[in-house]
Amino acid sequence: MQITYLSSILKAERQGDRSYIAVFQTDAGSFELFLPGSGYPGEFAGFMPPTLRNQSTGQSWVADWPLAELIAAHMQTVLDTAGADKSLAQEIVNALVAGTRYGQEGQANG
């Protein structure tokens, strides 16, 4: 399956104090992105690689960071479609692009 474009952000929310979920619509259907934060309470250690789940088929996989950055770039272009979740969607985009990555010294930092 190949996604050509992302058309809208359907949902953006924070899970706990450091993880995020975004649901977005594409030409290939709707997908859920889960960006898990790691670390002990009050001690953020970075983001683990995000997972994607096709909401129609239930198929899920771990996305590598270059793909996550590409998704973030596409999400940035449709932030206005997130409505009341726009500022949280922007946080997710920022985390995907520049967030600290758990166990990857010298990678993007936020």
Side-chain angles (χ1 to χ4, degrees):
M1 163 187 22
Q2 183 172 346
I3 297 171
T4 307
Y5 68 89
L6 192 149
S7 59
S8 63
I9 298 170
L10 305 174
K11 177 173 120 177
E13 68 180 40
R14 185 176 285 116
Q15 296 288 299
D17 65 347
R18 62 182 146 262
S19 297
Y20 294 99
I21 290 180
V23 178
F24 51 89
Q25 185 67 42
T26 73
D27 59 321
S30 61
F31 291 83
E32 176 182 295
L33 178 137
F34 176 59
L35 181 61
S38 63
Y40 295 104
E43 293 184 27
F44 179 70
F47 291 107
M48 302 295 286
T51 58
L52 288 172
R53 184 175 69 88
N54 181 311
Q55 292 200 306
S56 296
T57 66
Q59 178 186 11
S60 63
W61 62 95
V62 175
D64 61 13
W65 285 111
L67 176 58
E69 292 170 358
L70 181 61
I71 291 168
H74 286 281
M75 286 178 69
Q76 183 70 46
T77 66
V78 296
L79 279 176
D80 288 337
T81 65
D85 293 339
K86 182 178 178 179
S87 67
L88 198 50
Q90 181 67 63
E91 282 184 40
I92 295 169
V93 167
N94 294 345
L96 288 169
V97 172
T100 301
R101 296 174 183 175
Y102 180 77
Q104 294 189 9
E105 301 295 325
Q107 294 292 326
N109 289 312

